[in-house]
Amino acid sequence: MAAITSDLARLLSTVQRPGDFHATGTIEIFTPRLEVEGVGPIALPLLPVQAEQLIAVAERAPYGRGEATVVDPEVRRTWQIGAERIRIQGRSWAQTLEAIVARAAAGLGVSDPVNAELYKLLVYDEGSFFVSHRDTEKAPGMFATLVIALPSFCTGGDLVVRHKDREVRLDLRCPEPSDVAFAAFYADCVHEVLPVTAGCRLTLIYNLKRQGRGRPPEPPNYEAEQARVAALLRDWAAGRDRPDEDRPEKLIYPLEHAYTQAELSFAALKGADAAASAVLVAAAQQADCDVHLALVSIEETGAAEHTDYYGSRRRRSDEDDADFEIIEVFERRATLSGWRRPDGSRSELGDFPFDEAELCPPDALDDLEPDEQYFHEATGNEGASFERTYRRAALVLWPRDRRLAVLSQAGLSVTLPYLEELTDRWTGSGDGPASPLWREAHELSGHMLRSWPTQGWPRRRHEPQSDAGHMLTLLSRLKDTARIDAFLADIAAAGVYGKGDNEAVLRAVDLLPSVRAAALIAGIVAGNAAVALDACADLLARAAVGARTTGGRTDLVPAARTLVAALPGDPARVPPPEFGRPSSTDPGLIVDLLSALGRIDTALADAAADHILAWPRTYGLDAVLVPALVRLTGQDASRDVPAVRRLRAACLEHLRARIAEPLEPPGDWTRAGVLTCQCPHCSDLGRFLADPDRKVWTLKAAEANRRHVELTVRQSGSDLDLTTDRGGRPYSLVCTKNRASYDRRVQQRRKDLDATARLDGTAGA
């Protein structure tokens, strides 16, 4: 197990106190009754006329310079009204202020009781500001300043707060007049108010004071821990933590509190989770790592059995609440989802698999209680089973320079769209292969090739372009010949290939040297002919049409030879067709095969024709060869190929022989039929079939006897229509003779004449 997972968990476990040097937020309020001596009630949002009235009774706000308090509009230009002249009433204001103070204290990392003491009301009209300064202790026990921005209309006036080497810029305007924004910061923080550019900004200023005696609160300081975490992450990213062992691509630090998908965000983290998050986000930034917040989900299914038995009788209860014991876990799926960035935005990574060796610490989820658990009773041949799900929020991080390697773990549903986006941006930029976009696409495609799924790959006969074809199309647009070569040699030739990909395959190999292109095509045919013969024939036919020749078309001969060697022969050894797809020996296969061989090597075409004619049950004349040769006869390039002429002659001989057979309608009602049963009812059926004068026979019998006779008729292939007469009891089976055999022969004669005309060139003459 990589040491990083244990070391990171150990360091973060020491970070328990949440909070920061500032806190901010918004809260919905019931508008309080605000009165100012000399003005009276103040309407909120603040009206321009009342802003003028407030300024008329206010005084210029001073600032502290050493031991002195001075007024200097070049340093501070704003208006103030003392707390003694202000009254705030309203049945909800006390609760609102209490909620604001509680949120501010939590954001500052203060758990002890806190009081808020109104200090003054500040009016910032247009052009007002306050340069960088640090508050002095205005009252015993004061440790922080709370600013509440009352509803008003203004622009500008942002509050900038600095602490050590960090800085935040806070916009305390609220678009909703029923909301107020607040900000709190420790008294030793340097802060400034940027100029108000329009309107008027109205704020209440409170001193936050600790209750009782003792050391005043200070901003949480985890600089030492942050530095150690950053150093640990830098070693991990560089591979220095365990150079001789596999290190995890990403790290997953499960959080303590429970969070739903809806509330998942960095801003909503609680207690020690918020503290660990703050340290990890800052350390990751220093170590050049990406951090996300995500939901960890583990889903398990398997076999189970009841344990709630009393003697031989089980207590009856709802199956979802039943007591049961896990016998065996059959499937376990571990994923990350619901991604959030530190800035609050969503990250569209989707469901992301993870390795439990990436957990910090490695046993972080060992003692979890399932969030959902269900037991299912045994049914039929299925034994009793269970399902259960575990969910936890976690911080997830990875080295920024390994981002693409981690992204590739998410699978093709994520990486293919991202690679397409990179390709579009690169082609739109007009840059060459040396550009960062191309290099990023090249790196990502390398990770995708190494993790490309090959097990259980679905092969569908008439599937449009698959993920493999999509990938080749993108690589062709990138002109990334190294990745094209690797994909065709290692993935397509290994079986991840279908007929719908052939256009993409040929477009890709066209970017490679002729000899290498031919070798790759040969590799694809060799690796897939046994299970995708039709796709390989189509590939070879397409390649032969546009092949680049070197001393003839010898560059495709190895692939053609492999294809011919893979042709099925003895029908007893031909595997049955897969579910949902016909046999591979269909007319299209023959057309593609002979079209390709006729252009590549006529000797191989002759060998293929010999093989086809040697196995008539595999390559049926009516089902396969005649339709194929009709299509080939219309192709000028294939018309004069000796192998095609031989197969055409065999088809014509077959068709003309059948056309020469006599074709006359039946002269009476005698109908042929081989009956396999001699029971009384079937014997009556036999006599009916042999009777030249009877057209209809009715069997009034029980349902079992009627069904037996129906089965005998269908097995015999006799020309009979069957209906059931439901008049009376029992029902009657009505058998009526027809001319189906003759009609089929008439239809076959028409098809034979049409095919003969097409094959011998007399169609339309």
Side-chain angles (χ1 to χ4, degrees):
M1 188 67 65
I4 179 69
T5 54
S6 300
D7 292 345
L8 180 63
R10 177 178 50 78
L11 280 176
L12 291 178
S13 67
T14 65
V15 181
Q16 294 297 321
R17 181 189 167 198
D20 208 341
F21 66 90
H22 75 285
T24 187
T26 61
I27 191 170
E28 186 177 8
I29 65 167
F30 292 99
T31 304
R33 178 181 176 85
L34 173 64
E35 293 185 9
V36 175
E37 183 182 308
V39 178
I42 305 299
L44 297 175
L46 181 65
L47 301 174
V49 64
Q50 287 202 307
E52 294 176 359
Q53 293 171 349
L54 288 172
I55 291 172
V57 300
E59 60 182 359
R60 286 286 185 186
Y63 72 98
R65 180 187 292 169
E67 298 294 327
T69 300
V70 298
V71 174
D72 185 348
E74 299 297 321
V75 175
R76 186 181 192 187
R77 179 183 171 185
T78 188
W79 304 92
Q80 69 175 24
I81 298 175
E84 71 280 359
R85 300 175 58 192
I86 302 167
R87 294 181 61 193
I88 307 176
Q89 296 176 310
R91 62 181 182 179
S92 298
W93 176 247
Q95 292 88 339
T96 299
L97 180 60
E98 183 179 350
I100 292 174
V101 171
R103 288 178 59 183
L108 295 172
V110 178
S111 57
D112 295 333
V114 173
N115 288 335
E117 177 186 81
L118 181 61
Y119 177 52
K120 61 181 64 174
L121 175 72
L122 295 181
V123 183
Y124 286 81
D125 58 349
E126 184 175 343
S128 293
F129 63 91
F130 196 173
V131 299
S132 293
H133 65 288
R134 182 180 283 111
D135 286 344
T136 57
E137 183 177 322
K138 306 177 185 70
M142 174 192 169
F143 69 90
T145 298
L146 172 66
V147 179
I148 300 177
L150 296 173
S152 58
F153 300 104
C154 68
T155 57
D158 288 358
L159 174 64
V160 180
V161 185
R162 302 179 184 90
H163 178 67
K164 297 185 177 179
D165 59 346
R166 296 176 59 198
E167 175 182 296
V168 293
R169 179 168 173 167
L170 307 176
D171 181 356
L172 299 184
R173 296 172 299 161
C174 284
E176 290 293 331
S178 60
D179 290 348
V180 295
F182 66 88
F185 49 88
Y186 280 92
D188 62 345
C189 292
V190 174
H191 56 283
E192 66 176 303
V193 179
L194 301 181
V196 173
T197 55
C200 187
R201 179 177 181 264
L202 185 65
T203 60
L204 293 170
I205 309 300
Y206 288 84
N207 298 323
L208 293 182
K209 303 166 56 178
R210 70 185 187 279
Q211 295 183 20
R213 299 181 179 181
R215 185 176 178 178
E218 297 177 349
N221 183 3
Y222 287 109
E223 292 182 355
E225 290 83 353
Q226 181 178 309
R228 286 196 288 270
V229 171
L232 185 68
L233 295 180
R234 277 192 290 267
D235 286 345
W236 167 58
R240 293 191 294 266
D241 58 325
R242 285 286 183 89
D244 297 329
E245 297 184 17
D246 291 336
R247 70 183 191 277
E249 289 284 7
K250 57 184 178 293
L251 299 175
I252 303 167
Y253 181 75
L255 300 177
E256 293 184 3
H257 293 273
Y259 305 92
T260 65
Q261 179 74 67
E263 67 183 353
L264 190 66
S265 71
F266 280 85
L269 296 183
K270 310 166 188 174
D273 293 343
S277 168
V279 169
L280 193 57
V281 168
Q285 181 68 26
Q286 296 175 24
D288 202 24
C289 292
D290 288 329
V291 180
H292 287 76
L293 187 62
L295 280 180
V296 174
S297 297
I298 297 178
E299 300 172 0
E300 293 181 338
T301 60
E305 65 178 7
H306 271 292
T307 58
D308 54 346
Y309 281 86
Y310 289 98
S312 61
R313 299 184 61 188
R314 180 176 63 82
R315 183 180 73 236
R316 301 182 62 83
S317 61
D318 183 272
E319 69 170 15
D320 290 346
D321 297 326
D323 294 329
F324 63 92
E325 180 180 345
I326 304 300
I327 299 175
E328 184 179 359
V329 175
F330 294 152
E331 292 187 21
R332 181 178 174 90
R333 182 171 180 263
T335 58
L336 299 165
S337 61
W339 299 84
R340 299 291 189 274
R341 297 187 181 93
D343 63 4
S345 63
R346 294 175 179 267
S347 179
E348 300 301 329
L349 289 175
D351 289 349
F352 206 116
F354 70 88
D355 188 328
E356 292 184 51
E358 298 169 327
L359 292 170
C360 305
D363 59 354
L365 304 182
D366 284 359
D367 298 326
L368 277 186
E369 290 293 326
D371 294 85
E372 297 176 10
Q373 185 166 262
Y374 303 99
F375 176 81
H376 303 291
E377 297 276 7
T379 57
N381 294 325
E382 297 291 332
S385 62
F386 78 93
E387 301 175 30
R388 63 186 178 190
T389 303
Y390 305 86
R391 295 189 184 91
R392 284 282 293 275
L395 297 166
V396 186
L397 69 156
W398 52 77
R400 199 161 291 148
D401 63 0
R402 296 288 295 165
R403 177 177 60 91
L404 297 178
V406 173
L407 184 67
S408 68
Q409 296 177 342
L412 299 179
S413 62
V414 172
T415 52
L416 267 176
Y418 187 63
L419 182 63
E420 183 166 22
E421 178 189 342
L422 289 175
T423 304
D424 290 341
R425 289 164 57 194
W426 176 72
T427 54
S429 71
D431 295 336
S435 74
L437 282 174
W438 190 93
R439 291 198 301 271
E440 185 176 359
H442 178 75
E443 180 186 347
L444 175 60
S445 62
H447 293 302
M448 293 170 68
L449 264 62
R450 284 188 286 275
S451 60
W452 197 277
T454 57
Q455 298 298 320
W457 184 79
R459 189 189 303 278
R460 299 180 179 89
R461 184 179 181 83
H462 299 296
E463 182 186 29
Q465 188 182 68
S466 68
D467 287 340
H470 189 183
M471 180 72 166
L472 284 170
T473 298
L474 296 176
L475 294 177
S476 297
R477 291 177 57 196
L478 290 165
K479 296 180 175 58
D480 193 338
T481 54
R483 295 285 188 254
I484 289 172
D485 192 305
F487 190 93
L488 295 175
D490 301 333
I491 296 175
V496 182
Y497 163 74
K499 190 173 182 177
D501 302 326
N502 281 340
E503 183 177 348
V505 169
L506 292 173
R507 188 183 305 115
V509 298
D510 194 49
L511 298 172
L512 304 175
S514 177
V515 173
R516 183 57 183 162
L520 290 169
I521 291 174
I524 292 172
V525 173
N528 294 276
V531 291
L533 190 65
D534 56 338
C536 293
D538 177 75
L539 174 64
L540 205 56
R542 291 170 179 258
V545 170
R548 291 164 292 186
T549 61
T550 305
R553 299 192 182 274
T554 56
D555 50 343
L556 294 176
V557 168
R561 189 177 293 115
T562 300
L563 188 66
V564 172
L567 290 174
D570 186 350
R573 302 178 63 181
V574 175
E578 296 177 22
F579 178 77
R581 58 173 286 186
S583 168
S584 61
T585 53
D586 62 7
L589 167 67
I590 303 302
V591 171
D592 289 334
L593 175 70
L594 294 175
S595 297
L597 297 179
R599 291 181 171 90
I600 297 169
D601 190 317
T602 55
L604 281 173
D606 286 336
D610 290 341
H611 183 87
I612 291 168
L613 292 173
W615 299 104
R617 288 179 57 196
T618 301
Y619 305 93
L621 282 161
D622 291 317
V624 178
L625 289 186
V626 170
L629 270 294
V630 167
R631 288 165 59 182
L632 282 167
T633 301
Q635 298 180 7
D636 292 337
S638 301
R639 185 188 301 273
D640 295 325
V641 175
V644 173
R645 291 200 302 268
R646 287 174 56 208
L647 292 173
R648 185 189 307 124
C651 292
L652 284 170
E653 180 181 357
H654 166 70
L655 294 171
R656 287 166 179 162
R658 189 159 56 199
I659 291 170
E661 295 174 358
L663 180 62
E664 294 181 359
D668 55 33
W669 292 110
T670 302
R671 294 294 181 266
V674 178
L675 305 184
T676 58
C677 179
Q678 298 299 322
C679 72
H681 293 311
C682 290
S683 297
D684 289 344
L685 172 64
R687 286 189 287 274
F688 166 65
L689 290 173
D691 191 334
D693 299 320
R694 291 179 65 189
K695 181 180 179 181
V696 178
W697 173 56
T698 302
L699 171 65
K700 193 175 186 67
E703 181 183 8
N705 293 327
R706 297 197 311 272
R707 290 196 176 188
H708 171 70
V709 172
E710 287 182 17
L711 179 61
T712 302
V713 169
R714 291 188 173 89
Q715 290 176 342
S716 70
S718 302
D719 291 345
L720 291 177
D721 293 325
L722 304 178
T723 59
T724 300
D725 182 357
R726 289 178 168 76
R729 292 289 189 277
Y731 293 164
S732 299
L733 178 66
V734 181
C735 303
T736 305
K737 293 175 181 176
N738 60 41
R739 303 196 315 174
S741 296
Y742 171 73
D743 292 340
R744 284 194 297 270
R745 291 186 62 199
V746 170
Q747 186 179 11
Q748 184 65 56
R749 175 66 59 86
R750 294 194 188 101
K751 291 173 62 178
D752 290 348
L753 290 170
D754 178 68
T756 301
R758 291 175 180 272
L759 290 173
D760 65 12
T762 61

